[in-house]
Amino acid sequence: MILLISDLHKTLKSAEEAGSVKWLLGLLEAVGAEVLVSAGDWGEAMTVDDFFQIASRVRLVTVYGNHENFPVVRSFVLRDGEVVEAGSFRIAGVNGLVCGGAEYCTPPGRFRRVVSRIGSVDIFVSHQPPSAPYPELEGDEAAELMMWALEKIRPRLHLGGHMTGGCFTYHDFSWGKHLRVDTSARHRCYAVLEGKTVTVYQRGEEISTFTI
């Protein structure tokens, strides 16, 4: 069983946000996850001990976003374009956002080179969202470049992050499905992948399901 999350956003601004890792560890135990896949934005308050606690309980497959404790998170993420196997699934990802100049950026040229080397995978993970499910991103260079990447890789599932404003976003492409979940204290949404079925939950209550 694979647990899918994004945008946990651990901060010290409130007790609930500060307790995000404790909440996640409880969730891992409750659902019996064997693998945890995250699309980044763990939060600036994440510590080495936080990640070790998570990684000691589950296999961690993650990219970073733009809100991170970067000296810490970089030791736990996938390398850009790295392909790993989890059960019957091949998983790859690219870190950060497509941009230049900030520590969380993957420059467009590098992004294209990485994507061109990936080949076929079942699950592609990125913090960078594509444009198609989000009208506000139409014409955005980074989002359109992510669309190019998804059309090239054609994963069965794209797990994305970064976009807020609701519990989850689902989109059905011709090649597969796009999913974004907001796991922050505001929504506490997540998804479970078991077999070919993805079930989306909010605070333990099932709210959507689809197959890949």
Side-chain angles (χ1 to χ4, degrees):
M1 183 182 296
I2 299 177
L3 179 64
L4 307 169
I5 70 169
S6 186
D7 297 86
L8 184 70
H9 284 291
K10 179 187 175 182
T11 74
L12 304 179
K13 295 179 180 178
S14 72
E16 187 174 6
E17 289 177 343
S20 289
V21 172
K22 182 179 179 180
W23 172 85
L24 178 59
L25 294 173
L27 177 62
L28 289 170
E29 183 175 351
V31 303
E34 299 165 313
V35 181
L36 172 62
V37 180
S38 171
D41 268 13
W42 288 90
E44 291 89 343
M46 290 292 291
T47 66
V48 171
D49 185 62
D50 287 335
F51 279 112
F52 274 131
Q53 286 192 69
I54 294 165
S56 70
R57 289 166 170 79
V58 71
R59 183 179 179 188
L60 177 60
V61 180
T62 185
V63 297
Y64 60 72
N66 57 311
H67 292 285
E68 308 286 5
N69 182 349
F70 284 101
V72 169
V73 74
R74 289 185 188 277
S75 298
F76 296 90
V77 298
L78 287 171
R79 298 186 304 274
D80 287 337
E82 178 183 3
V83 179
V84 299
E85 295 188 359
S88 61
F89 296 102
R90 285 168 52 84
I91 307 172
V94 176
N95 288 284
L97 297 175
V98 179
C99 54
E103 62 182 333
Y104 56 78
C105 288
T106 298
R110 172 177 168 76
F111 180 82
R112 287 180 178 275
R113 291 192 297 273
V114 168
V115 167
S116 296
R117 294 195 301 264
I118 289 176
S120 176
V121 297
D122 301 294
I123 302 173
F124 183 69
V125 188
S126 71
H127 193 65
Q128 172 66 55
S131 57
Y134 309 102
E136 63 269 37
L137 293 182
E138 290 183 7
D140 178 84
E141 181 180 359
E144 296 296 346
L145 195 53
M146 180 55 69
M147 280 300 307
W148 167 83
L150 294 176
E151 291 288 349
K152 186 174 183 61
I153 298 170
R154 303 178 73 82
R156 293 164 61 188
L157 176 66
H158 172 236
L159 178 65
H162 193 58
M163 303 300 288
T164 57
C167 170
F168 79 106
T169 301
Y170 166 81
H171 191 82
D172 190 351
F173 290 101
S174 61
W175 41 260
K177 313 297 172 63
H178 164 80
L179 176 67
R180 175 204 62 87
V181 289
D182 187 336
T183 314
S184 70
R186 181 179 181 185
H187 293 290
R188 290 294 191 237
C189 292
Y190 55 91
V192 172
L193 171 58
E194 190 168 16
K196 297 181 179 180
T197 302
V198 177
T199 306
V200 181
Y201 296 87
Q202 183 170 31
R203 301 186 187 276
E205 180 179 348
E206 180 180 329
I207 57 175
S208 183
T209 186
F210 60 91
T211 58
I212 62 171

